[in-house]
Amino acid sequence: MTQRNAIFPANRHALYAEHGYSAAIKSGDLLFVSGQVGSRTDGSPEPDFEAQVRLAFANLEATLKAGGATLDDIVDVTTFHTDPENQFETIMKVKGDVFPEAPYPNWTAIGVNWLAGFDFEIKVIARIPD
């Protein structure tokens, strides 16, 4: 049986400990990253929506790095949105900056009514390169 190992980015341990989950789990050559949000260093949501989305991607990138992966290693993306219809244009703009060219990871977007004070969350599965 493949062992799972908890992965945490630098300077983010308190947030995960407070809510009782790992930032990511490494299992074999896969990295399963928990939902990342646009939280500032004190754990509060970034109030500007575009900045919140960009910060969520920055937090994602830090978690991927801690697990030995990069944005280029992502194979599966799920995002959660509190107001998808009105947020879509901004999210697509940021997504285009983060993933500027094909091949793109597969992507599922889900509308939700609550994200603990946040408006955007992203979780991914990445393959850890050899």
Side-chain angles (χ1 to χ4, degrees):
M1 181 171 168
T2 303
Q3 184 176 0
R4 63 181 186 193
N5 299 308
I7 304 295
F8 295 95
N11 303 320
R12 301 283 294 172
H13 298 279
L15 181 62
Y16 299 109
E18 181 181 335
H19 294 105
Y21 68 99
S22 298
I25 295 290
K26 185 176 184 178
S27 181
D29 66 347
L30 295 177
L31 187 65
F32 299 86
V33 180
S34 294
Q36 299 295 303
V37 294
S39 59
R40 298 183 290 190
T41 54
D42 66 358
S44 66
E46 168 58 48
D48 176 78
F49 181 69
E50 183 175 339
Q52 186 181 127
V53 173
R54 291 189 184 282
L55 187 52
F57 274 100
N59 291 337
L60 170 63
E61 196 165 12
T63 302
L64 288 166
K65 182 179 178 183
T70 69
L71 292 168
D72 291 333
D73 300 311
I74 294 172
V75 294
D76 183 67
V77 176
T78 304
T79 53
F80 304 89
H81 315 265
T82 58
D83 188 1
E85 186 174 359
N86 292 311
Q87 297 166 340
F88 189 74
E89 185 177 330
T90 301
I91 292 164
M92 291 304 291
K93 176 183 171 188
V94 175
K95 180 182 180 239
D97 292 343
V98 175
F99 300 108
E101 59 189 43
Y104 306 108
N106 66 323
W107 196 295
T108 303
I110 301 169
V112 299
N113 61 16
W114 186 79
L115 288 172
F118 295 89
D119 293 305
F120 176 84
E121 183 173 326
I122 180 168
K123 66 178 275 131
V124 305
I125 299 171
R127 184 165 304 281
I128 302 165
D130 295 328

